[in-house]
Amino acid sequence: MPVWNAIDFQQAQASQATAANDPARVVRLVAGPGTGKSFSIEQKVANLLQSGVTASSIYAVSYTRAAATDLKLRIEQFCNTSGLSITGGIRASTVHSLALRILRSAGILGAQYPVDPMVLDNWEVENIFDLEFNHITRFGKPRCAEIRSYWEAFWSTGNQSHPSYKPPASPITQQEQTQFTGFKNRRSNLYSCVLPGEIVQQVVQRAIAGTLNVQQVLNISHLIVDEFQDLNPMDLELMQILISAGVQLFASGDDDQSIYSFRYGSPEGIRNLPLQNQGVGQHMLGHCFRCTPSVLNPAVQLMATYSDPQRIPKTYISMYSNSAPSVLGSFHRWMFSTHRGEARAIADSCQNLINSGLNPKDILILISNKRIQLGVIEDELRQRNLNFDSPNNPGIQDTDEGRLIVALMRLICNNDDYISLRTIWGLRSGIGPTQTETLATWITNNQQNFKTIFFQNLPLTNLQQRTASSVQVLRGLVNTITGWAKTDTLGCRNADIIAILNTISGQAAVALWTSAVQGIDSNALLSEVRDFLWTESDEQKSQVLAAISDRLELEHTPNTLPDRIRIMTMHGSKGLSAKVVFIPGLEEQILPGPNRIVSPGLTQEAARLLYVAITRAKASCIVSLAQSRFVNGKRKTHAASQFTNALGGSFSTRSTALTSQEVNQIMSDISRL
């Protein structure tokens, strides 16, 4: 590792500390990639604790459940290392879960749901909610998703004609709206669940009406919001309500990394924060500890070219520019005649780098269009026997067995997790939407409750025999876990869990469980095992394992990332990094692509997406384009993306992979990171 330039390092630390120490009621921290935003957040919480603020008065928010868990773990590890005791831990969640907590504390949820509801994730929305809605209405799953999206746009923005909402060719009818609302209300009560977005709007509407004092019921004094640029308009309204109620806000993010307009996120949220509030403490982190200058500079030039007048001005410097020794890094711009030639060069380059000692997990290949780009890249990697993770490879939660395992762990840790109980029910062999609807109708007509049907030995009078038999099987599972606690250890319950999985699913689930928990200490709590399995990335799994090691006072295990090349979408790479990053497909037909090019705003967002992709790289970034591709079975001519003109150099015609000289230079740079 190089020695940082003393002046650069002092300036970077001073910027991080100044933001963390700012006592302003609202603080905005604009932090570019790799500039130490996490440290400022961690230090902010540590400062609050040292000043006498209780941990229960601090709440942290991030854009996904997994990101919130990661944020919580980072804060707690930093505070533990600093010798600060956090009784009960730091509370962290998504905005949706924060809104749920507000309604729960206000006593509002009890009138609508049998227990505190769970926010459905994407799989649950598609495989439970949409599936059952379609079974009842026979609209077809695509149409059911369109109807739901119509309402999600309204919940997220308060506007059913928001510019970011793309209505279907066939407008949503009043009858469809009515049927959706009725179904949602029934299923939300039956499974004690909510769809993403609807709860935030409920809080905002009640607060505006004066019937809900959010600060009083939430009982927090400080709110930490990470990735503020990802909040949608309704989320932003909630933030302003909390500020008006006296909650101090520390908002961190970067308008240049706002890439979720399809979720109604916008860079305007973080840009307008000082305009909506007086005396905002405004801070900027510009010293990049991740990217070498050859990687950072083209990314910065791209954003300078594709920005609008409202963009927050920034100045960045790579910490490697003046380090001892300095590390320049490399940025390659390649142009190929065909997509096959591009894929071969990428695969050969990966092979050459690995043969020179680079771990495969230190290579990222980032794509913008899976349908057009992924297949040929996977094919070339397979031909060279290179191991890789693909965005099409199912994670543990993307398989039926994995979903069953995670649902079981969730249910063990929280018997009131109705949606996990529904997941286990639906994933058993032979259970389909017809049996599920039969059970739902019987429960409703007999004034029963979805949980008590399984947790109590109630008579199943007049319930169809096949469905009743399935209920009895699941009752056996419930009887087994009754009395278990989330504080039980993995070693204590492992054999029992294996027996349960074998009974309700079979050997495939047992094998997956055994493989998934292989690296977890037997003294880990079941709640920690649940958190590990519930994560969305290998990096987050490493964080959970580190937290387990800290609690058990064990040495941290080495990084658990598998030794495989990672192929990901650009959106999926946010928050990650790698020593070498390949970005193929810089063509107008792919990035920005036909759906974005019609809108200046979406074109700017595509530029931000490329910026995010480039700044995942530490030592070297290789961007490339192909002049022709096979699309839908036909060869088509592709034009260079307009973004290629803003990357600070010319693209060279290429037919081969990284040369030995180029590989040696990259490996030399990596050795000095």
Side-chain angles (χ1 to χ4, degrees):
M1 180 176 175
V3 176
W4 303 126
N5 176 274
I7 295 176
D8 288 347
F9 190 56
Q10 289 170 4
Q11 290 176 344
Q13 284 190 312
S15 297
Q16 294 166 352
T18 301
N21 295 331
D22 192 332
R25 191 169 58 92
V26 178
V27 174
R28 184 187 74 175
L29 174 61
V30 178
T35 55
K37 174 187 63 174
S38 295
F39 177 81
S40 288
I41 292 174
E42 294 156 5
Q43 187 63 60
K44 176 68 176 180
V45 175
N47 291 347
L48 291 173
L49 294 173
Q50 289 171 336
S51 69
V53 176
T54 61
S56 62
S57 298
I58 305 169
Y59 203 102
V61 165
S62 196
Y63 62 105
T64 67
R65 180 192 52 77
T69 299
D70 182 56
L71 179 62
K72 170 184 170 67
L73 290 172
R74 288 179 181 274
I75 291 172
E76 291 179 350
Q77 287 171 10
F78 180 86
C79 291
N80 289 334
T81 303
S82 303
L84 294 169
S85 175
I86 309 177
T87 304
I90 293 293
R91 293 180 293 174
S93 73
T94 62
V95 178
H96 303 134
S97 294
L98 172 65
L100 274 176
R101 185 180 292 270
I102 292 171
L103 294 179
R104 181 190 309 124
S105 300
I108 294 170
L109 294 179
Q112 301 180 48
Y113 308 96
V115 296
D116 288 347
M118 301 290 291
V119 180
L120 299 181
D121 65 21
N122 290 338
W123 186 94
E124 292 159 347
V125 167
E126 294 176 8
N127 293 278
I128 295 177
F129 188 91
D130 286 357
L131 184 71
E132 294 188 25
F133 184 40
N134 176 55
H135 180 73
I136 291 174
T137 62
R138 304 297 180 182
F139 288 150
K141 283 195 72 174
R143 185 59 173 177
C144 289
E146 289 175 348
I147 298 168
R148 171 174 47 78
S149 296
Y150 170 86
W151 283 102
E152 287 174 347
F154 176 63
W155 296 329
S156 299
T157 67
N159 183 352
Q160 287 173 319
S161 58
H162 190 273
S164 294
Y165 171 61
K166 306 303 179 189
S170 177
I172 307 300
T173 67
Q174 184 61 52
Q175 180 186 5
E176 289 172 328
Q177 294 180 44
T178 301
Q179 287 186 269
F180 175 88
T181 302
F183 173 81
K184 180 186 75 68
N185 291 340
R186 294 192 302 273
R187 281 305 188 267
S188 294
N189 179 272
L190 180 68
Y191 299 143
S192 198
C193 64
V194 294
L195 290 167
E198 61 171 312
I199 288 296
V200 178
Q201 189 189 56
Q202 281 193 41
V203 172
V204 169
Q205 289 174 337
R206 289 174 181 271
I208 291 174
T211 59
L212 177 63
N213 185 322
V214 292
Q215 195 277 339
Q216 186 178 50
V217 299
L218 192 57
N219 194 28
I220 64 169
S221 57
H222 292 81
L223 181 65
I224 314 290
V225 181
D226 192 17
E227 306 294 358
F228 198 83
Q229 77 280 351
D230 293 332
L231 300 187
N232 64 43
M234 198 60 64
D235 298 335
L236 292 170
E237 279 204 55
L238 177 58
M239 296 300 111
Q240 286 301 132
I241 288 169
L242 287 166
I243 292 170
S244 299
V247 175
Q248 294 192 32
L249 174 68
F250 186 91
S252 66
D254 180 8
D255 57 332
D256 288 344
Q257 297 187 68
S258 176
I259 57 174
Y260 292 117
S261 66
F262 60 90
R263 297 179 188 166
Y264 308 102
S266 165
E268 299 309 308
I270 193 167
R271 291 172 179 173
N272 292 338
L273 196 59
L275 303 178
Q276 297 171 326
N277 301 277
Q278 293 183 345
V280 173
Q282 300 184 52
H283 302 272
M284 182 85 61
L285 301 183
H287 291 79
C288 180
F289 289 81
R290 178 191 300 158
C291 306
T292 49
S294 290
V295 172
L296 181 63
N297 293 340
V300 170
Q301 183 170 336
L302 173 69
M303 291 316 302
T305 304
Y306 284 88
S307 63
D308 56 65
Q310 287 74 44
R311 177 180 178 249
I312 301 171
K314 306 172 183 71
T315 301
Y316 290 124
I317 180 174
S318 169
M319 290 294 291
Y320 292 101
S321 298
N322 302 316
S323 63
S326 62
V327 186
L328 183 61
S330 57
F331 192 88
H332 298 269
R333 305 165 185 84
W334 292 351
M335 181 167 57
F336 298 88
S337 59
T338 68
H339 70 301
R340 177 66 66 175
E342 179 188 53
R344 285 173 182 156
I346 291 172
D348 284 339
S349 296
C350 291
Q351 182 76 79
N352 295 343
L353 289 165
I354 293 168
N355 290 344
S356 295
L358 185 63
N359 193 308
K361 68 185 178 185
D362 290 322
I363 301 173
L364 263 178
I365 302 174
L366 301 181
I367 59 176
S368 176
N369 188 312
K370 288 197 298 182
R371 181 178 60 84
I372 295 177
Q373 296 180 268
L374 184 59
V376 65
I377 294 173
E378 290 182 329
D379 182 48
E380 292 296 332
L381 292 174
R382 287 193 191 98
Q383 288 185 32
R384 291 154 183 79
N385 295 316
L386 295 174
N387 294 323
F388 61 89
D389 277 332
S390 165
N392 282 347
N393 289 349
I396 188 170
Q397 295 192 70
D398 298 320
T399 65
D400 286 353
E401 293 81 7
R403 269 283 159 178
L404 185 68
I405 289 169
V406 174
L408 175 61
M409 296 308 298
R410 285 172 54 180
L411 186 63
I412 290 169
C413 295
N414 177 13
N415 288 169
D416 283 338
D417 189 341
Y418 281 41
I419 203 66
S420 287
L421 190 59
R422 164 60 181 85
T423 299
I424 296 170
W425 161 265
L427 287 176
R428 291 191 57 252
S429 177
I431 301 295
T434 299
Q435 274 205 64
T436 301
E437 179 58 25
T438 297
L439 180 61
T441 301
W442 185 88
I443 290 172
T444 302
N445 292 342
N446 289 275
Q447 295 81 47
Q448 298 294 336
N449 171 277
F450 188 74
K451 174 188 173 182
T452 57
I453 285 300
F454 299 103
F455 276 78
Q456 297 179 19
N457 194 27
L458 300 173
L460 302 175
T461 308
N462 297 326
L463 180 60
Q464 185 187 65
Q465 181 59 44
R466 183 183 175 194
T467 306
S469 298
S470 297
V471 170
Q472 293 290 6
V473 172
L474 205 51
R475 281 178 173 178
L477 178 154
V478 168
N479 288 335
T480 301
I481 66 173
T482 298
W484 292 18
K486 62 183 180 181
T487 52
D488 293 347
T489 65
L490 174 62
C492 173
R493 296 299 184 187
N494 187 46
D496 294 327
I497 291 172
I498 289 174
I500 291 172
L501 292 173
N502 191 45
T503 299
I504 64 175
S505 183
Q507 281 301 308
V510 171
L512 182 58
W513 163 264
T514 303
S515 172
V517 302
Q518 187 174 16
I520 305 177
D521 192 279
S522 62
N523 290 310
L525 307 180
L526 293 185
S527 60
E528 293 170 330
V529 177
R530 174 203 59 191
D531 292 344
F532 177 84
L533 297 172
W534 212 355
T535 56
E536 297 174 354
S537 72
D538 292 310
E539 286 82 359
Q540 290 161 352
K541 282 181 168 55
S542 295
Q543 286 287 328
V544 175
L545 291 178
I548 294 172
S549 297
D550 285 342
R551 184 182 63 79
L552 297 175
E553 298 183 349
L554 302 173
E555 289 188 15
H556 285 194
T557 56
N559 193 314
T560 58
L561 283 176
D563 293 339
R564 295 191 291 268
I565 298 165
R566 291 174 288 169
I567 310 175
M568 307 184 74
T569 64
M570 292 181 179
H571 280 103
S573 71
K574 192 173 179 185
L576 305 180
S577 63
K579 292 172 181 175
V580 179
V581 173
F582 292 88
I583 306 175
L586 289 196
E587 298 135 39
E588 199 74 352
Q589 291 81 356
I590 294 178
L591 194 72
N595 293 330
R596 296 189 186 100
I597 204 168
V598 297
S599 164
L602 291 178
T603 300
Q604 289 176 353
E605 183 180 67
R608 296 195 294 268
L609 184 60
L610 179 56
Y611 171 80
V612 168
I614 292 171
T615 53
R616 301 310 93 193
K618 296 179 179 180
S620 183
C621 182
I622 300 96
V623 297
S624 60
L625 65 96
Q627 295 172 315
S628 69
R629 287 186 183 272
F630 268 101
V631 180
N632 298 326
K634 296 181 180 180
R635 181 174 293 279
K636 294 188 176 182
T637 300
H638 275 201
S641 169
Q642 57 188 280
F643 302 143
T644 59
N645 298 325
L647 294 176
S650 61
F651 279 66
S652 60
T653 301
R654 193 91 178 195
S655 60
T656 59
L658 288 167
T659 65
S660 58
Q661 182 178 358
E662 290 168 335
V663 168
N664 290 339
Q665 183 60 57
I666 291 173
M667 296 305 295
S668 175
D669 288 340
I670 288 173
S671 70
R672 291 177 288 153
L673 292 179

